[in-house]
Amino acid sequence: MKASGQQRQYLVLENYIGGKFVHCENHIDSYDPSTGEVYCRVPDSGQEEVDAAVAAAKEAFPEWSACSPQQRAQVLNKLADLIEAHLEEFAQAESRDQGKTVAFARTVDIPRSAHNFRFFASSVLHHTTDCSQMDHMGCLNYTIRCPVGVAGLISPWNLPLYLLTWKIAPAIATGNTVVAKPSEMTSVTAWMMCKLMQQAGIPPGVVNIVFGTGPKAGDALVGHPNVPLISFTGSTATAQRITERSAPYCKKLSLELGGKNPAIIFADADLDQCIETTIRSSFSNQVRSFVALAKSEGGIIHCGEGVDQLDLPQQNNSGYFMPATVISGVSDSSRVMQEEIFGPVTCVSPFDTEEEAVSKGNGVRYGLACTVWSRDVGKIHRMARRLHTGLVWTNCWLVRDLNLPFGGMKHSGVGREGGKDSYHFFTEVKTVAIKH
Ligand code: NAD
Protein backbone atom coordinates (compact mmCIF):
# COMPACT_ATOMS: atom_id res chain seq x y z
CA MET A 1 0.00 0.00 0.00
CA LYS A 2 1.21 3.51 -0.78
CA ALA A 3 -0.10 6.86 0.41
CA SER A 4 -1.41 9.51 -1.98
CA GLY A 5 -1.23 13.28 -1.50
CA GLN A 6 -4.53 13.22 0.44
CA GLN A 7 -3.15 10.58 2.86
CA ARG A 8 -5.55 8.00 1.45
CA GLN A 9 -4.08 4.50 1.25
CA TYR A 10 -4.14 2.99 -2.22
CA LEU A 11 -3.01 -0.36 -3.43
CA VAL A 12 -0.55 0.33 -6.28
CA LEU A 13 -0.11 -2.54 -8.74
CA GLU A 14 2.96 -3.23 -10.86
CA ASN A 15 3.38 -5.20 -14.06
CA TYR A 16 4.95 -8.65 -13.83
CA ILE A 17 7.53 -9.04 -16.59
CA GLY A 18 10.37 -11.55 -16.87
CA GLY A 19 9.76 -12.78 -13.31
CA LYS A 20 10.02 -9.30 -11.77
CA PHE A 21 7.57 -6.65 -10.64
CA VAL A 22 8.17 -3.62 -12.85
CA HIS A 23 6.94 -0.15 -11.95
CA CYS A 24 4.87 1.64 -14.60
CA GLU A 25 5.11 5.42 -14.98
CA ASN A 26 1.36 6.00 -15.39
CA HIS A 27 -1.62 4.55 -13.54
CA ILE A 28 -5.40 4.48 -13.77
CA ASP A 29 -7.83 4.44 -10.87
CA SER A 30 -9.74 1.32 -9.95
CA TYR A 31 -12.88 1.65 -7.82
CA ASP A 32 -14.27 -0.35 -4.94
CA PRO A 33 -17.78 -1.04 -6.28
CA SER A 34 -19.27 -1.28 -2.77
CA THR A 35 -18.34 2.33 -1.93
CA GLY A 36 -17.64 3.92 -5.32
CA GLU A 37 -14.24 5.09 -4.02
CA VAL A 38 -10.81 4.61 -5.57
CA TYR A 39 -8.87 1.96 -3.67
CA CYS A 40 -6.34 0.73 -6.17
CA ARG A 41 -4.11 2.15 -8.90
CA VAL A 42 -3.52 -0.02 -11.94
CA PRO A 43 -0.57 0.41 -14.35
CA ASP A 44 -1.64 2.22 -17.51
CA SER A 45 0.62 0.11 -19.73
CA GLY A 46 1.12 0.69 -23.42
CA GLN A 47 3.38 -0.37 -26.27
CA GLU A 48 6.61 -0.10 -24.28
CA GLU A 49 5.44 -2.39 -21.46
CA VAL A 50 3.85 -4.87 -23.89
CA ASP A 51 7.08 -4.96 -25.95
CA ALA A 52 9.09 -5.75 -22.81
CA ALA A 53 6.65 -8.51 -21.78
CA VAL A 54 6.60 -10.08 -25.25
CA ALA A 55 10.42 -10.00 -25.37
CA ALA A 56 10.59 -11.75 -21.96
CA ALA A 57 8.06 -14.37 -23.10
CA LYS A 58 9.93 -14.95 -26.34
CA GLU A 59 13.21 -15.44 -24.52
CA ALA A 60 11.65 -17.95 -22.09
CA PHE A 61 9.92 -19.95 -24.85
CA PRO A 62 12.72 -22.30 -26.05
CA GLU A 63 13.51 -23.67 -22.61
CA TRP A 64 9.90 -23.89 -21.38
CA SER A 65 8.62 -25.55 -24.55
CA ALA A 66 11.43 -28.12 -24.30
CA CYS A 67 10.34 -29.20 -20.79
CA SER A 68 8.41 -32.45 -20.57
CA PRO A 69 4.65 -32.22 -19.90
CA GLN A 70 5.38 -33.88 -16.54
CA GLN A 71 7.79 -31.09 -15.54
CA ARG A 72 5.29 -28.44 -16.53
CA ALA A 73 2.47 -30.27 -14.74
CA GLN A 74 4.46 -30.25 -11.51
CA VAL A 75 4.74 -26.46 -11.61
CA LEU A 76 1.05 -25.98 -12.42
CA ASN A 77 0.05 -28.22 -9.51
CA LYS A 78 2.29 -26.24 -7.19
CA LEU A 79 0.65 -22.99 -8.27
CA ALA A 80 -2.77 -24.56 -7.61
CA ASP A 81 -1.60 -25.55 -4.10
CA LEU A 82 -0.47 -21.99 -3.43
CA ILE A 83 -3.74 -20.44 -4.63
CA GLU A 84 -5.64 -22.83 -2.36
CA ALA A 85 -3.36 -21.99 0.56
CA HIS A 86 -4.25 -18.30 0.07
CA LEU A 87 -7.91 -18.93 -0.82
CA GLU A 88 -9.39 -16.60 1.77
CA GLU A 89 -7.12 -13.64 0.79
CA PHE A 90 -7.98 -14.17 -2.88
CA ALA A 91 -11.71 -14.42 -2.14
CA GLN A 92 -11.73 -11.21 -0.08
CA ALA A 93 -9.76 -9.37 -2.77
CA GLU A 94 -11.96 -10.64 -5.61
CA SER A 95 -15.08 -9.54 -3.76
CA ARG A 96 -13.72 -6.06 -3.06
CA ASP A 97 -12.39 -5.57 -6.58
CA GLN A 98 -15.26 -7.05 -8.59
CA GLY A 99 -18.25 -6.58 -6.32
CA LYS A 100 -19.38 -10.21 -6.06
CA THR A 101 -20.05 -11.68 -2.64
CA VAL A 102 -17.15 -13.14 -0.68
CA ALA A 103 -19.14 -16.37 -0.39
CA PHE A 104 -19.35 -16.67 -4.19
CA ALA A 105 -15.66 -15.91 -4.68
CA ARG A 106 -14.77 -18.36 -1.90
CA THR A 107 -16.83 -21.22 -3.30
CA VAL A 108 -16.70 -20.61 -7.06
CA ASP A 109 -14.10 -18.19 -8.46
CA ILE A 110 -11.04 -19.06 -6.42
CA PRO A 111 -11.48 -22.85 -6.08
CA ARG A 112 -12.17 -23.02 -9.84
CA SER A 113 -9.05 -20.95 -10.54
CA ALA A 114 -6.91 -23.47 -8.65
CA HIS A 115 -8.78 -26.29 -10.38
CA ASN A 116 -7.95 -24.83 -13.81
CA PHE A 117 -4.24 -25.35 -13.10
CA ARG A 118 -4.78 -28.83 -11.68
CA PHE A 119 -7.03 -29.88 -14.54
CA PHE A 120 -4.64 -28.84 -17.32
CA ALA A 121 -1.64 -30.20 -15.38
CA SER A 122 -3.34 -33.57 -15.57
CA SER A 123 -5.00 -33.40 -18.99
CA VAL A 124 -1.78 -32.47 -20.79
CA LEU A 125 -0.34 -35.85 -19.74
CA HIS A 126 -3.03 -37.83 -21.53
CA HIS A 127 -3.29 -36.56 -25.08
CA THR A 128 -2.39 -38.75 -28.04
CA THR A 129 -1.94 -37.83 -31.68
CA ASP A 130 -3.07 -39.57 -34.87
CA CYS A 131 -1.28 -42.16 -36.96
CA SER A 132 -2.28 -43.75 -40.26
CA GLN A 133 -0.61 -46.51 -42.24
CA MET A 134 -0.36 -46.51 -46.07
CA ASP A 135 1.20 -49.92 -46.54
CA HIS A 136 0.50 -49.97 -50.28
CA MET A 137 2.80 -46.93 -50.62
CA GLY A 138 5.26 -47.95 -47.92
CA CYS A 139 4.33 -44.86 -45.90
CA LEU A 140 3.49 -44.15 -42.31
CA ASN A 141 1.74 -40.86 -41.53
CA TYR A 142 1.42 -39.36 -38.10
CA THR A 143 0.72 -36.02 -36.49
CA ILE A 144 2.69 -34.13 -33.88
CA ARG A 145 1.62 -31.09 -31.88
CA CYS A 146 3.90 -28.22 -30.92
CA PRO A 147 3.26 -25.12 -28.78
CA VAL A 148 2.52 -22.02 -30.82
CA GLY A 149 4.86 -19.51 -29.14
CA VAL A 150 3.93 -16.39 -27.17
CA ALA A 151 0.21 -16.47 -26.37
CA GLY A 152 -1.68 -13.20 -25.84
CA LEU A 153 -4.47 -13.64 -23.30
CA ILE A 154 -7.16 -11.02 -22.63
CA SER A 155 -9.87 -11.48 -20.00
CA PRO A 156 -12.97 -9.59 -18.75
CA TRP A 157 -14.12 -8.19 -15.40
CA ASN A 158 -16.90 -10.53 -14.33
CA LEU A 159 -14.89 -13.66 -13.41
CA PRO A 160 -11.45 -12.10 -13.05
CA LEU A 161 -9.10 -14.81 -11.75
CA TYR A 162 -11.21 -17.71 -12.95
CA LEU A 163 -11.20 -16.68 -16.62
CA LEU A 164 -7.59 -15.54 -16.55
CA THR A 165 -6.40 -18.90 -15.21
CA TRP A 166 -8.70 -20.68 -17.67
CA LYS A 167 -6.40 -19.24 -20.34
CA ILE A 168 -3.00 -19.24 -18.61
CA ALA A 169 -3.24 -22.88 -17.46
CA PRO A 170 -3.72 -24.59 -20.86
CA ALA A 171 -1.39 -22.13 -22.59
CA ILE A 172 1.61 -22.90 -20.37
CA ALA A 173 0.71 -26.57 -19.82
CA THR A 174 1.14 -27.09 -23.57
CA GLY A 175 4.51 -25.31 -23.61
CA ASN A 176 3.66 -21.77 -24.68
CA THR A 177 4.76 -18.70 -22.79
CA VAL A 178 2.22 -15.95 -22.19
CA VAL A 179 1.55 -12.26 -21.95
CA ALA A 180 -1.80 -11.76 -20.22
CA LYS A 181 -3.86 -8.61 -19.82
CA PRO A 182 -6.67 -8.80 -17.26
CA SER A 183 -9.52 -6.30 -17.20
CA GLU A 184 -8.38 -2.88 -15.97
CA MET A 185 -11.44 -2.89 -13.68
CA THR A 186 -10.50 -6.11 -11.87
CA SER A 187 -6.72 -6.57 -11.84
CA VAL A 188 -5.96 -7.23 -8.18
CA THR A 189 -6.16 -11.03 -7.94
CA ALA A 190 -4.03 -11.42 -11.10
CA TRP A 191 -1.37 -9.25 -9.44
CA MET A 192 -1.64 -11.33 -6.24
CA MET A 193 -1.12 -14.50 -8.26
CA CYS A 194 2.08 -13.04 -9.74
CA LYS A 195 3.50 -13.02 -6.20
CA LEU A 196 3.16 -16.82 -6.13
CA MET A 197 4.78 -17.53 -9.49
CA GLN A 198 8.37 -17.77 -8.30
CA GLN A 199 7.46 -19.97 -5.33
CA ALA A 200 5.54 -22.27 -7.67
CA GLY A 201 8.68 -22.66 -9.78
CA ILE A 202 7.40 -20.89 -12.90
CA PRO A 203 10.56 -19.73 -14.67
CA PRO A 204 10.94 -15.97 -15.37
CA GLY A 205 9.25 -14.93 -18.59
CA VAL A 206 6.88 -17.91 -18.85
CA VAL A 207 3.98 -15.90 -17.43
CA ASN A 208 4.00 -12.12 -17.88
CA ILE A 209 1.11 -9.94 -16.82
CA VAL A 210 0.68 -6.44 -18.19
CA PHE A 211 -2.07 -4.30 -16.67
CA GLY A 212 -3.93 -1.52 -18.42
CA THR A 213 -6.81 -0.56 -20.67
CA GLY A 214 -8.06 -2.39 -23.74
CA PRO A 215 -7.46 0.34 -26.33
CA LYS A 216 -3.86 0.83 -25.11
CA ALA A 217 -2.33 -2.30 -23.54
CA GLY A 218 -4.81 -4.75 -25.12
CA ASP A 219 -4.43 -3.24 -28.57
CA ALA A 220 -0.62 -3.32 -28.32
CA LEU A 221 -0.78 -7.02 -27.46
CA VAL A 222 -3.23 -7.91 -30.24
CA GLY A 223 -1.18 -5.98 -32.80
CA HIS A 224 2.19 -7.36 -31.70
CA PRO A 225 3.92 -9.24 -34.54
CA ASN A 226 5.58 -11.70 -32.11
CA VAL A 227 2.29 -12.86 -30.58
CA PRO A 228 0.84 -15.44 -33.01
CA LEU A 229 -2.18 -16.42 -30.90
CA ILE A 230 -4.86 -14.48 -29.03
CA SER A 231 -7.34 -16.00 -26.61
CA PHE A 232 -9.97 -13.42 -25.74
CA THR A 233 -13.03 -13.44 -23.49
CA GLY A 234 -15.16 -10.30 -23.49
CA SER A 235 -17.77 -8.47 -25.49
CA THR A 236 -18.66 -9.09 -29.12
CA ALA A 237 -17.89 -5.45 -30.01
CA THR A 238 -14.31 -5.74 -28.68
CA ALA A 239 -13.86 -9.08 -30.48
CA GLN A 240 -14.75 -7.41 -33.76
CA ARG A 241 -11.96 -4.87 -33.19
CA ILE A 242 -9.54 -7.64 -32.22
CA THR A 243 -10.39 -9.62 -35.33
CA GLU A 244 -9.69 -6.62 -37.58
CA ARG A 245 -6.50 -5.68 -35.73
CA SER A 246 -5.05 -9.19 -35.86
CA ALA A 247 -6.09 -9.98 -39.44
CA PRO A 248 -2.89 -8.68 -41.12
CA TYR A 249 -0.87 -11.16 -39.01
CA CYS A 250 -3.18 -14.18 -39.59
CA LYS A 251 -3.22 -14.88 -35.84
CA LYS A 252 -4.87 -17.88 -34.28
CA LEU A 253 -7.96 -16.56 -32.48
CA SER A 254 -10.24 -17.98 -29.83
CA LEU A 255 -13.13 -15.64 -29.02
CA GLU A 256 -15.45 -16.28 -26.07
CA LEU A 257 -18.06 -13.54 -26.30
CA GLY A 258 -21.34 -12.11 -25.08
CA GLY A 259 -24.62 -13.94 -24.82
CA LYS A 260 -28.36 -13.62 -24.41
CA ASN A 261 -28.86 -16.88 -22.64
CA PRO A 262 -32.50 -17.99 -22.51
CA ALA A 263 -33.86 -19.99 -19.60
CA ILE A 264 -36.67 -22.09 -21.10
CA ILE A 265 -38.99 -23.28 -18.35
CA PHE A 266 -41.65 -25.83 -19.27
CA ALA A 267 -44.79 -26.33 -17.16
CA ASP A 268 -43.54 -29.77 -16.07
CA ALA A 269 -40.28 -28.38 -14.58
CA ASP A 270 -39.33 -29.04 -10.97
CA LEU A 271 -40.11 -25.46 -9.96
CA ASP A 272 -38.40 -25.52 -6.54
CA GLN A 273 -35.09 -26.38 -8.13
CA CYS A 274 -35.67 -24.25 -11.21
CA ILE A 275 -36.64 -21.02 -9.43
CA GLU A 276 -33.68 -21.05 -7.05
CA THR A 277 -31.18 -21.62 -9.87
CA THR A 278 -32.86 -19.19 -12.28
CA ILE A 279 -32.73 -16.42 -9.68
CA ARG A 280 -28.96 -16.94 -9.44
CA SER A 281 -28.42 -17.16 -13.20
CA SER A 282 -30.59 -14.08 -13.87
CA PHE A 283 -29.28 -11.64 -11.28
CA SER A 284 -25.54 -12.19 -10.96
CA ASN A 285 -24.02 -9.11 -12.64
CA GLN A 286 -24.54 -5.29 -12.60
CA VAL A 287 -25.92 -2.82 -15.30
CA ARG A 288 -28.76 -0.21 -15.28
CA SER A 289 -29.69 1.73 -18.45
CA PHE A 290 -31.62 -1.18 -20.00
CA VAL A 291 -34.41 -0.79 -17.46
CA ALA A 292 -35.19 2.72 -18.72
CA LEU A 293 -35.05 1.33 -22.25
CA ALA A 294 -37.50 -1.44 -21.33
CA LYS A 295 -39.97 1.19 -20.06
CA SER A 296 -39.69 3.12 -23.31
CA GLU A 297 -40.36 -0.16 -25.18
CA GLY A 298 -43.63 -0.64 -23.27
CA GLY A 299 -42.30 -3.08 -20.68
CA ILE A 300 -43.77 -3.62 -17.21
CA ILE A 301 -41.20 -3.44 -14.39
CA HIS A 302 -42.49 -5.86 -11.75
CA CYS A 303 -39.79 -5.32 -9.16
CA GLY A 304 -36.33 -3.85 -8.80
CA GLU A 305 -34.97 -0.71 -10.44
CA GLY A 306 -37.36 2.24 -9.99
CA VAL A 307 -39.79 0.08 -7.96
CA ASP A 308 -37.88 -1.10 -4.88
CA GLN A 309 -35.54 0.96 -2.72
CA LEU A 310 -32.30 -0.63 -1.57
CA ASP A 311 -31.68 -0.24 2.15
CA LEU A 312 -27.90 0.17 2.20
CA PRO A 313 -25.51 0.99 5.05
CA GLN A 314 -24.26 4.60 4.82
CA GLN A 315 -20.74 3.66 3.61
CA ASN A 316 -22.29 1.92 0.59
CA ASN A 317 -24.53 4.79 -0.53
CA SER A 318 -22.18 5.72 -3.39
CA GLY A 319 -21.53 2.10 -4.29
CA TYR A 320 -22.75 0.39 -7.45
CA PHE A 321 -25.81 -1.46 -6.23
CA MET A 322 -28.92 -2.34 -8.17
CA PRO A 323 -31.98 -4.33 -7.10
CA ALA A 324 -32.89 -7.50 -9.00
CA THR A 325 -35.29 -6.39 -11.73
CA VAL A 326 -37.98 -8.38 -13.58
CA ILE A 327 -39.53 -7.09 -16.81
CA SER A 328 -42.40 -8.44 -18.92
CA GLY A 329 -44.64 -7.22 -21.74
CA VAL A 330 -41.87 -6.45 -24.25
CA SER A 331 -41.90 -7.82 -27.80
CA ASP A 332 -39.38 -10.45 -28.94
CA SER A 333 -37.82 -7.90 -31.28
CA SER A 334 -37.37 -5.20 -28.60
CA ARG A 335 -33.82 -4.22 -27.67
CA VAL A 336 -34.13 -5.55 -24.12
CA MET A 337 -35.06 -8.98 -25.52
CA GLN A 338 -32.37 -8.92 -28.22
CA GLU A 339 -29.32 -7.32 -26.56
CA GLU A 340 -27.10 -8.58 -23.80
CA ILE A 341 -28.03 -7.01 -20.45
CA PHE A 342 -25.00 -7.79 -18.31
CA GLY A 343 -26.96 -7.07 -15.15
CA PRO A 344 -29.41 -8.32 -12.52
CA VAL A 345 -32.25 -7.86 -14.97
CA THR A 346 -34.39 -10.55 -16.53
CA CYS A 347 -37.15 -10.34 -19.15
CA VAL A 348 -39.99 -12.85 -18.91
CA SER A 349 -41.86 -13.96 -22.02
CA PRO A 350 -44.50 -16.72 -22.16
CA PHE A 351 -44.65 -19.57 -24.72
CA ASP A 352 -47.09 -22.41 -25.39
CA THR A 353 -45.23 -24.97 -27.51
CA GLU A 354 -41.74 -26.40 -27.97
CA GLU A 355 -41.72 -24.87 -31.41
CA GLU A 356 -42.35 -21.41 -29.99
CA ALA A 357 -39.69 -21.85 -27.27
CA VAL A 358 -37.09 -22.88 -29.89
CA SER A 359 -38.01 -19.95 -32.09
CA LYS A 360 -37.69 -17.46 -29.22
CA GLY A 361 -34.44 -19.05 -27.98
CA ASN A 362 -32.87 -18.99 -31.44
CA GLY A 363 -34.28 -15.60 -32.38
CA VAL A 364 -31.28 -13.64 -31.07
CA ARG A 365 -27.90 -13.00 -32.65
CA TYR A 366 -26.09 -14.70 -29.75
CA GLY A 367 -25.61 -18.41 -29.13
CA LEU A 368 -23.60 -18.92 -25.96
CA ALA A 369 -25.71 -20.97 -23.56
CA CYS A 370 -29.25 -21.72 -22.51
CA THR A 371 -31.01 -23.58 -19.74
CA VAL A 372 -33.98 -25.90 -20.28
CA TRP A 373 -36.15 -26.92 -17.35
CA SER A 374 -38.37 -29.97 -17.76
CA ARG A 375 -38.88 -33.47 -16.33
CA ASP A 376 -39.51 -34.88 -19.82
CA VAL A 377 -36.27 -36.47 -21.08
CA GLY A 378 -37.48 -36.67 -24.67
CA LYS A 379 -38.32 -32.99 -24.68
CA ILE A 380 -34.91 -32.16 -23.22
CA HIS A 381 -33.14 -34.08 -26.01
CA ARG A 382 -35.25 -32.44 -28.71
CA MET A 383 -34.63 -28.96 -27.33
CA ALA A 384 -30.89 -29.55 -26.89
CA ARG A 385 -30.58 -30.59 -30.50
CA ARG A 386 -32.54 -27.66 -31.92
CA LEU A 387 -31.21 -24.75 -29.85
CA HIS A 388 -28.36 -22.84 -31.48
CA THR A 389 -26.08 -22.45 -28.47
CA GLY A 390 -22.67 -23.87 -27.60
CA LEU A 391 -23.95 -25.07 -24.22
CA VAL A 392 -27.31 -26.42 -23.12
CA TRP A 393 -27.77 -26.84 -19.38
CA THR A 394 -30.83 -28.93 -18.55
CA ASN A 395 -32.27 -28.78 -15.03
CA CYS A 396 -29.03 -27.13 -13.87
CA TRP A 397 -26.82 -24.13 -14.56
CA LEU A 398 -23.08 -23.45 -14.70
CA VAL A 399 -22.07 -27.10 -14.42
CA ARG A 400 -18.69 -27.47 -16.13
CA ASP A 401 -16.75 -30.58 -16.97
CA LEU A 402 -13.50 -29.02 -18.16
CA ASN A 403 -12.89 -31.98 -20.48
CA LEU A 404 -15.73 -30.84 -22.70
CA PRO A 405 -15.86 -27.84 -25.06
CA PHE A 406 -16.92 -24.39 -23.87
CA GLY A 407 -17.79 -21.59 -26.28
CA GLY A 408 -20.54 -20.01 -28.29
CA MET A 409 -22.14 -20.02 -31.73
CA LYS A 410 -23.14 -17.04 -33.89
CA HIS A 411 -22.13 -13.70 -32.27
CA SER A 412 -21.10 -15.48 -29.06
CA GLY A 413 -17.77 -16.61 -30.34
CA VAL A 414 -15.33 -18.41 -32.53
CA GLY A 415 -13.75 -21.68 -31.42
CA ARG A 416 -14.06 -23.73 -28.26
CA GLU A 417 -11.85 -24.14 -25.21
CA GLY A 418 -11.71 -27.00 -22.69
CA GLY A 419 -9.75 -30.30 -22.50
CA LYS A 420 -8.97 -31.43 -26.04
CA ASP A 421 -10.16 -28.15 -27.61
CA SER A 422 -7.71 -26.08 -25.54
CA TYR A 423 -4.96 -28.57 -26.42
CA HIS A 424 -5.73 -28.09 -30.09
CA PHE A 425 -6.00 -24.32 -29.85
CA PHE A 426 -2.76 -23.81 -27.92
CA THR A 427 -0.75 -26.14 -30.18
CA GLU A 428 -0.06 -26.34 -33.90
CA VAL A 429 -0.51 -29.68 -35.60
CA LYS A 430 1.93 -31.03 -38.17
CA THR A 431 1.44 -34.06 -40.38
CA VAL A 432 4.58 -36.12 -40.95
CA ALA A 433 4.76 -38.69 -43.75
CA ILE A 434 7.59 -41.23 -43.56
CA LYS A 435 8.41 -43.44 -46.52
CA HIS A 436 9.94 -46.64 -45.23
P1 NAD B 1 -14.83 -5.94 -22.82
O1 NAD B 1 -14.91 -6.49 -24.20
O2 NAD B 1 -15.14 -4.52 -22.61
O3 NAD B 1 -13.37 -6.17 -22.23
C1 NAD B 1 -12.79 -7.45 -22.14
C2 NAD B 1 -11.27 -7.30 -22.14
O4 NAD B 1 -10.87 -6.78 -23.41
C3 NAD B 1 -10.73 -6.34 -21.08
O5 NAD B 1 -9.52 -6.84 -20.57
C4 NAD B 1 -10.50 -5.06 -21.89
O6 NAD B 1 -9.51 -4.22 -21.34
C5 NAD B 1 -10.02 -5.66 -23.22
N1 NAD B 1 -10.19 -4.77 -24.37
C6 NAD B 1 -11.10 -3.79 -24.56
N2 NAD B 1 -10.88 -3.18 -25.75
C7 NAD B 1 -9.82 -3.82 -26.34
C8 NAD B 1 -9.13 -3.66 -27.58
N3 NAD B 1 -9.47 -2.73 -28.47
N4 NAD B 1 -8.10 -4.49 -27.85
C9 NAD B 1 -7.74 -5.46 -26.98
N5 NAD B 1 -8.35 -5.64 -25.79
C10 NAD B 1 -9.39 -4.83 -25.47
O7 NAD B 1 -15.76 -6.88 -21.92
P2 NAD B 1 -16.07 -6.75 -20.36
O8 NAD B 1 -17.07 -5.65 -20.14
O9 NAD B 1 -14.81 -6.75 -19.57
O10 NAD B 1 -16.78 -8.15 -20.09
C11 NAD B 1 -18.13 -8.37 -20.30
C12 NAD B 1 -18.36 -9.14 -21.61
O11 NAD B 1 -17.65 -10.38 -21.58
C13 NAD B 1 -19.83 -9.50 -21.78
O12 NAD B 1 -20.19 -9.30 -23.12
C14 NAD B 1 -19.86 -10.98 -21.42
O13 NAD B 1 -20.91 -11.71 -21.99
C15 NAD B 1 -18.54 -11.44 -21.93
N6 NAD B 1 -18.13 -12.68 -21.28
C16 NAD B 1 -18.18 -13.82 -22.03
C17 NAD B 1 -17.85 -15.02 -21.43
C18 NAD B 1 -17.86 -16.31 -22.23
O14 NAD B 1 -17.42 -17.31 -21.71
N7 NAD B 1 -18.30 -16.31 -23.46
C19 NAD B 1 -17.46 -15.05 -20.09
C20 NAD B 1 -17.40 -13.86 -19.39
C21 NAD B 1 -17.75 -12.67 -19.99
Side-chain angles (χ1 to χ4, degrees):
M1 294 284 243
K2 295 196 178 163
S4 79
Q6 293 88 36
Q7 300 303 314
R8 192 182 284 271
Q9 296 288 307
Y10 294 126
L11 194 60
V12 180
L13 310 192
E14 291 175 318
N15 289 323
Y16 186 71
I17 299 174
K20 293 196 177 76
F21 285 98
V22 183
H23 180 71
C24 183
E25 215 40 57
N26 303 310
H27 289 82
I28 42 181
D29 291 336
S30 181
Y31 295 84
D32 177 340
S34 74
T35 61
E37 289 179 358
V38 176
Y39 89 107
C40 168
R41 309 215 69 217
V42 175
D44 186 12
S45 309
Q47 193 68 52
E48 191 184 327
E49 290 77 11
V50 169
D51 284 348
V54 173
K58 201 167 172 227
E59 195 183 328
F61 179 74
E63 205 171 321
W64 180 250
S65 57
C67 288
S68 68
Q70 285 77 3
Q71 286 170 313
R72 293 196 292 261
Q74 214 172 12
V75 172
L76 265 73
N77 278 323
K78 179 76 180 148
L79 186 55
D81 290 344
L82 289 167
I83 292 172
E84 278 166 357
H86 293 271
L87 189 143
E88 190 55 28
E89 290 159 56
F90 274 104
Q92 296 282 346
E94 201 73 299
S95 166
R96 181 158 191 206
D97 203 25
Q98 198 273 348
K100 62 183 66 196
T101 63
V102 177
F104 197 85
R106 193 185 280 137
T107 53
V108 179
D109 291 63
I110 310 306
R112 286 194 183 193
S113 302
H115 184 61
N116 283 339
F117 285 108
R118 260 192 229 300
F119 173 82
F120 285 105
S122 161
S123 87
V124 79
L125 304 179
H126 304 290
H127 294 298
T128 54
T129 54
D130 298 324
C131 174
S132 91
Q133 293 168 225
M134 292 173 86
D135 290 341
H136 61 291
M137 294 187 65
C139 262
L140 177 71
N141 303 290
Y142 64 95
T143 60
I144 53 171
R145 289 201 161 263
C146 308
V148 181
V150 178
L153 312 176
I154 301 177
S155 51
W157 64 271
N158 62 318
L159 294 159
L161 193 65
Y162 174 45
L163 289 178
L164 185 70
T165 54
W166 172 245
K167 297 181 182 306
I168 293 178
I172 64 172
T174 48
N176 302 280
T177 55
V178 309
V179 176
K181 194 210 79 67
S183 167
E184 60 274 31
M185 289 187 272
T186 52
S187 296
V188 172
T189 47
W191 172 75
M192 288 168 67
M193 186 173 68
C194 295
K195 295 189 196 176
L196 306 177
M197 296 283 177
Q198 203 181 353
Q199 211 184 331
I202 294 185
V206 170
V207 176
N208 306 275
I209 301 201
V210 173
F211 299 98
T213 67
K216 221 171 137 186
D219 183 77
L221 185 55
V222 173
H224 203 293
N226 292 336
V227 177
L229 169 155
I230 300 288
S231 170
F232 169 79
T233 301
S235 64
T236 303
T238 303
Q240 284 160 349
R241 280 195 288 278
I242 287 176
T243 305
E244 283 171 19
R245 181 79 167 104
S246 61
Y249 304 96
C250 299
K251 297 193 181 204
K252 242 185 147 178
L253 291 183
S254 172
L255 306 171
E256 306 271 354
L257 313 179
K260 185 76 179 169
N261 304 339
I264 298 172
I265 304 170
F266 285 94
D268 65 359
D270 173 345
L271 284 185
D272 289 342
Q273 196 197 357
C274 164
I275 288 170
E276 195 196 325
T277 308
T278 306
I279 287 173
R280 282 196 292 127
S281 67
S282 301
F283 302 124
S284 292
N285 284 301
Q286 297 84 31
V287 167
R288 177 166 275 161
S289 60
F290 273 92
V291 182
L293 181 65
K295 271 193 201 159
S296 74
E297 291 181 319
I300 303 161
I301 317 298
H302 295 270
C303 61
E305 185 68 10
V307 178
D308 300 312
Q309 286 295 323
L310 282 173
D311 186 16
L312 294 170
Q314 200 184 350
Q315 73 267 23
N316 301 116
N317 277 342
S318 303
Y320 314 145
F321 292 89
M322 180 181 174
T325 301
V326 178
I327 300 167
S328 73
V330 280
S331 72
D332 288 350
S333 59
S334 64
R335 281 186 60 195
V336 286
M337 284 293 277
Q338 287 293 321
E339 294 179 23
E340 180 179 39
I341 308 177
F342 213 53
V345 178
T346 197
C347 300
V348 180
S349 169
F351 64 90
D352 292 316
T353 60
E354 279 179 48
E355 198 59 39
E356 204 185 338
V358 169
S359 155
K360 279 174 187 278
N362 288 344
V364 292
R365 68 185 174 119
Y366 295 107
L368 183 59
C370 69
T371 53
V372 179
W373 294 87
S374 169
R375 287 191 173 97
D376 180 337
V377 176
K379 196 187 285 171
I380 284 175
H381 278 303
R382 288 192 297 277
M383 293 296 289
R385 193 156 182 84
R386 296 181 68 193
L387 287 161
H388 299 158
T389 59
L391 270 155
V392 182
W393 280 299
T394 63
N395 299 329
C396 63
W397 174 63
L398 222 56
V399 173
R400 277 289 293 129
D401 176 345
L402 302 191
N403 275 305
L404 299 184
F406 183 93
M409 298 180 183
K410 303 193 286 186
H411 284 228
S412 288
V414 174
R416 298 287 185 278
E417 294 185 16
K420 211 194 291 174
D421 295 86
S422 294
Y423 177 57
H424 287 172
F425 176 65
F426 285 107
T427 56
E428 287 284 17
V429 68
K430 290 181 201 174
T431 301
V432 183
I434 297 183
K435 178 107 173 137
H436 52 81

